[in-house]
Amino acid sequence: MATPTRRWLLPVLLVILPSGYPSSGPPAPPSEPECYRPCSSHSCSVIRCVWTPDPESDHSTNYSLHWEPTNTDDDNIKGGRSYDGLIHRENFRSHGELRVWVQAQNQNGSAKSQDALIDTEAIKKPPPPLFLSNHQGSLEVTWSVACVLQPSQGTCEVRYRAEDDQGWPQAQYEDGLHNSFEVPDPRPGSEYEFQVRCACDSSLVSDWSEIYRIRSAEAAPVGEVDVWMDCVTPFSSFDCFLTWKNLSISEARGFILGYQVTVSYSNGTVKHINVSTVDPSSVWAYDEMKWYLTSSLKRVSSVYVSAYNSIGTGNASHLVVPEPGEHTDDQIIDLQMTEENLTVSWTLPPHFPDNVKHYVVQYRECWPGRGLDWIKVDKSRRTVSFKGVFKKYTSYQVSLFVVSDSNQIRLISTAVSYSVQGVPSAVPSFNVSVIAATDVTLFWEPVSCSKRNGKILHYQIGVEHAGTQTVYNVSVTPDHGTMTYKLPGLSPGRKYKVWIRAVTAAGPGPNVTTTLKTKHVEDLGHVIHTLVPVGFLLVTIIFVALCVTRGPRKVCPVLPQCLYEKVPDPSNSHIFKHMRHQISEPLNWICIPLYEPSPKISLLEIVEVKSKALGPDRLTRSVLENDCLQMSSTDVQRGETIVEDKDRMDPRYGREEYSKMIDSDEERSEESSDDGQFSSGYEQHFMPNPLEIRQN
């Protein structure tokens, strides 16, 4: 490859230098000419001479062919000159000698080749032989030789090759002018190519004939089909597909009509598939010398594949499909890769099992590329070379497998290689997942293998703030799925610009940038010390409010009894008799407002014997009281509760709170009783009876 310095010099040189050779001096002397007389079946009318350099390749120099007879006494033949390298029949005798040379001339001078002496009879060159027919059963070919004057002596040379041979490895020399040849022990079903050339008497040898092709008779295939798996993910049967290569020509021994495929499933069922090489189908596909079944190997336990032609069927090749997860990944392989060659070598780990049948070395392009190839080698081999055209900036995954004597397959090692590396593409996505005061968590999607353009060495994350920049190198392990990185050392409440890029041996790729702002620092101790007293004060206020608030007509069983005024509970009220049924309900803890429709307030009348100490207006008192009443289920169970508080006075009236409360609907006879034998326990406890008043 030209360096950058040479790139701009090369066009200049192309402009300065003329086409052809430099013309700074006289031309170089041409080579000694070689001359012959090309003959047809009836004449040899011209002499053709060739030399180097080729006149057509040097347009700055003029070349001319010169000749003259060696016998200057022959006045009938004169010398001459031509520019096309031809000497016509009128300028030479059939039996004679000529002295021939080449003259080169340009604007700076001229040069002359060495002289060549030629015998015009000895330089005859017969035409190439012509193939006539063949006998396919024995692979025999015949040809005809056109020799002038039908001489009785001569030689012929035959060469042949099979279609998969390189060059012409086989050559056969025959004494005499034979016109046939039979291939010894030909390969069955192989196409052969033939060429022949001959010489008549003392003439020159003719040119090679045109290539003649013939196919040998077919035979049943030999050898086994090279069967393997094409897996997107190694040993994931859902992503693996059966593939196999064509048999070689020597193994096919004829035209392969198809392949018989037997698929055995884990549940015991067996399926037979006939893959035709002539009729297409959606069940299989053909791609660059390889065949594929379009259905995956999911739930497949083993496969048998055999090839057949018109004569018979070859041996079946057996492949055991490995179970998912049965593989290791020891990094024991070394890769050397160029655009034309891939060399894979490996060293087995200690205590490696010795039941090895052979190794399989595979490479494939990054999915969805189809560039898959594999080689099966003997267990004694430790290196493999692939020949081909490996694309630039393309990821090739190389895998080493071992096949045991029982045909069990195990993955040993994998590695990735590139023929030529370039800078990677941008990261597909880059975001922030968690933001804290002094750190953030970043996540991004790795560059896909088809856009990496080289082996990713690491990812670089840069943080920019206030003109400063910090760069972190992040490992590529694992190199699949979403990747995360916790970015430390940030300051609270600040804005940052963060970028990411992938790096290969060729350099870093483009940046993908995002912005973020960290959170402010919260003084949790200060918050706690502030909130706890406030909360305590709030709870206290609510509690006190509930205690001191005296809402009318409410029963508040939640609060303790000590917070209420000690109000007697008159048991002779119909309202409280009715409430006994409500108090037994499950929700008796709720403060329930009670409303008595059109309440009738009873008058408590006290009748006593006249006394001088008492005025008439002290004999009858009316007390009107409404308050929050407290009831509980225990009150219902034990009856009416009597609270003793003789000295408590009503602050509103400066007198006792209750005497006797009687519903207006009760019998008036009960009010007129003087001895109090029908008085309730409430009256006995809180109110003085008439006898006590009299005594006073």
Side-chain angles (χ1 to χ4, degrees), residues 392-630:
K392 295 181 179 180
Y393 319 125
T394 301
S395 172
Y396 290 89
Q397 185 182 52
V398 182
S399 303
L400 173 64
F401 301 87
V402 61
V403 181
S404 65
D405 295 332
S406 58
N407 289 325
Q408 298 295 324
I409 302 174
R410 184 158 62 100
L411 174 64
I412 301 299
S413 183
T414 60
V416 176
S417 184
Y418 291 81
S419 61
V420 177
Q421 297 195 55
V423 296
S425 300
V427 173
S429 63
F430 181 49
N431 295 284
V432 182
S433 61
V434 179
I435 299 179
T438 59
D439 58 71
V440 297
T441 301
L442 308 173
F443 72 95
W444 66 94
E445 181 182 352
V447 181
S448 62
C449 64
S450 61
K451 296 182 179 181
R452 292 177 184 174
N453 301 329
K455 185 177 180 180
I456 302 295
L457 302 177
H458 55 264
Y459 289 91
Q460 285 186 339
I461 296 179
V463 183
E464 298 180 5
H465 173 70
T468 61
Q469 176 175 276
T470 306
V471 179
Y472 301 89
N473 292 334
V474 183
S475 173
V476 296
T477 304
D479 60 351
H480 59 276
T482 302
M483 302 182 66
T484 61
Y485 180 73
K486 189 174 183 179
L487 194 63
L490 305 180
S491 299
R494 293 186 179 180
K495 291 184 178 180
Y496 292 89
K497 183 171 75 171
V498 182
W499 52 261
I500 188 172
R501 64 189 180 188
V503 180
T504 65
N511 294 355
V512 177
T513 306
T514 186
T515 58
L516 58 91
K517 183 178 180 180
T518 56
K519 292 184 177 180
H520 291 277
V521 173
E522 297 291 347
D523 190 350
L524 297 180
H526 177 72
V527 172
I528 292 175
H529 287 100
T530 303
L531 292 181
V532 169
V534 173
F536 181 76
L537 180 60
L538 182 61
V539 171
T540 303
I541 293 173
I542 296 175
F543 187 76
V544 171
L546 292 175
C547 292
V548 302
T549 302
R550 302 175 62 191
R553 309 178 186 90
K554 289 188 178 181
V555 177
C556 303
V558 178
L559 300 179
Q561 298 180 3
C562 64
L563 299 179
Y564 291 94
E565 296 183 16
K566 294 182 180 180
V567 180
D569 184 10
S571 60
N572 58 350
S573 173
H574 291 291
I575 296 175
F576 295 103
K577 291 179 182 180
H578 178 69
M579 278 298 299
R580 290 175 183 174
H581 301 285
Q582 295 183 359
I583 296 302
S584 62
E585 295 298 326
L587 299 179
N588 59 354
W589 57 273
I590 305 175
C591 186
I592 306 173
L594 298 178
Y595 299 95
E596 182 177 5
S598 302
K600 296 180 179 180
I601 307 303
S602 301
L603 293 176
L604 179 61
E605 298 181 358
I606 299 175
V607 180
E608 60 179 322
V609 180
K610 293 183 179 179
S611 175
K612 298 179 178 179
L614 297 174
D617 55 345
R618 296 286 303 275
L619 297 179
T620 302
R621 300 176 181 177
S622 298
V623 179
L624 178 63
E625 183 71 28
N626 290 313
D627 206 342
C628 184
L629 304 179
Q630 180 177 358

Side-chain angles (χ1 to χ4, degrees), residues 188-465:
S190 297
E191 185 179 70
Y192 281 83
E193 296 179 344
F194 298 88
Q195 280 187 315
V196 62
R197 63 183 181 182
C198 298
C200 302
D201 280 341
S202 60
S203 69
L204 300 176
V205 179
S206 70
D207 293 330
W208 287 105
S209 66
E210 295 182 355
I211 294 177
Y212 184 73
R213 295 178 177 86
I214 184 176
R215 183 174 292 275
S216 61
E218 291 189 351
V222 295
E224 296 182 354
V225 180
D226 192 356
V227 182
W228 194 237
M229 299 173 297
D230 185 3
C231 299
V232 179
T233 304
F235 291 164
S236 174
S237 60
F238 182 77
D239 296 327
C240 291
F241 300 87
L242 185 69
T243 180
W244 64 90
K245 296 180 181 179
N246 282 333
L247 286 176
S248 64
I249 297 174
S250 59
E251 293 176 330
R253 307 212 296 178
F255 180 74
I256 298 299
L257 298 175
Y259 297 89
Q260 294 178 352
V261 181
T262 302
V263 181
S264 299
Y265 292 88
S266 302
N267 58 6
T269 60
V270 178
K271 183 179 181 180
H272 299 280
I273 303 174
N274 181 30
V275 178
S276 174
T277 59
V278 180
D279 300 326
S281 173
S282 60
V283 180
W284 60 83
Y286 182 66
D287 178 26
E288 298 180 359
M289 303 295 292
K290 292 185 289 295
W291 295 86
Y292 291 87
L293 288 186
T294 55
S295 58
S296 70
L297 294 176
K298 188 176 183 180
R299 294 188 293 272
V300 175
S301 59
S302 64
V303 180
Y304 290 88
V305 181
S306 58
Y308 65 91
N309 58 18
S310 60
I311 304 301
T313 303
N315 298 327
S317 180
H318 184 206
L319 176 69
V320 177
V321 179
E323 294 291 335
E326 291 186 0
H327 68 276
T328 59
D329 192 10
D330 299 327
Q331 297 299 323
I332 62 173
I333 61 177
D334 179 70
L335 306 179
Q336 300 294 330
M337 191 175 193
T338 64
E339 294 183 60
E340 297 81 19
N341 183 66
L342 169 61
T343 301
V344 184
S345 57
W346 62 93
T347 303
L348 295 180
H351 311 293
F352 194 78
D354 56 358
N355 60 338
V356 178
K357 182 178 180 181
H358 57 258
Y359 296 101
V360 179
V361 182
Q362 167 198 296
Y363 77 83
R364 65 163 302 118
E365 289 184 26
C366 173
W367 190 262
R370 276 290 189 183
L372 171 72
D373 196 8
W374 68 91
I375 296 178
K376 296 179 179 179
V377 297
D378 186 77
K379 62 180 181 180
S380 61
R381 295 274 297 275
R382 293 293 183 271
T383 182
V384 169
S385 293
F386 293 90
K387 301 292 183 181
V389 179
F390 297 99
K391 303 174 184 177
K392 295 181 179 180
Y393 319 125
T394 301
S395 172
Y396 290 89
Q397 185 182 52
V398 182
S399 303
L400 173 64
F401 301 87
V402 61
V403 181
S404 65
D405 295 332
S406 58
N407 289 325
Q408 298 295 324
I409 302 174
R410 184 158 62 100
L411 174 64
I412 301 299
S413 183
T414 60
V416 176
S417 184
Y418 291 81
S419 61
V420 177
Q421 297 195 55
V423 296
S425 300
V427 173
S429 63
F430 181 49
N431 295 284
V432 182
S433 61
V434 179
I435 299 179
T438 59
D439 58 71
V440 297
T441 301
L442 308 173
F443 72 95
W444 66 94
E445 181 182 352
V447 181
S448 62
C449 64
S450 61
K451 296 182 179 181
R452 292 177 184 174
N453 301 329
K455 185 177 180 180
I456 302 295
L457 302 177
H458 55 264
Y459 289 91
Q460 285 186 339
I461 296 179
V463 183
E464 298 180 5
H465 173 70

Side-chain angles (χ1 to χ4, degrees), residues 48-49 51 63 65 82-88:
R48 179 180 294 276
C49 297
W51 63 89
Y63 293 90
L65 178 66
S82 70
Y83 294 95
D84 56 3
L86 298 178
I87 303 175
H88 294 280

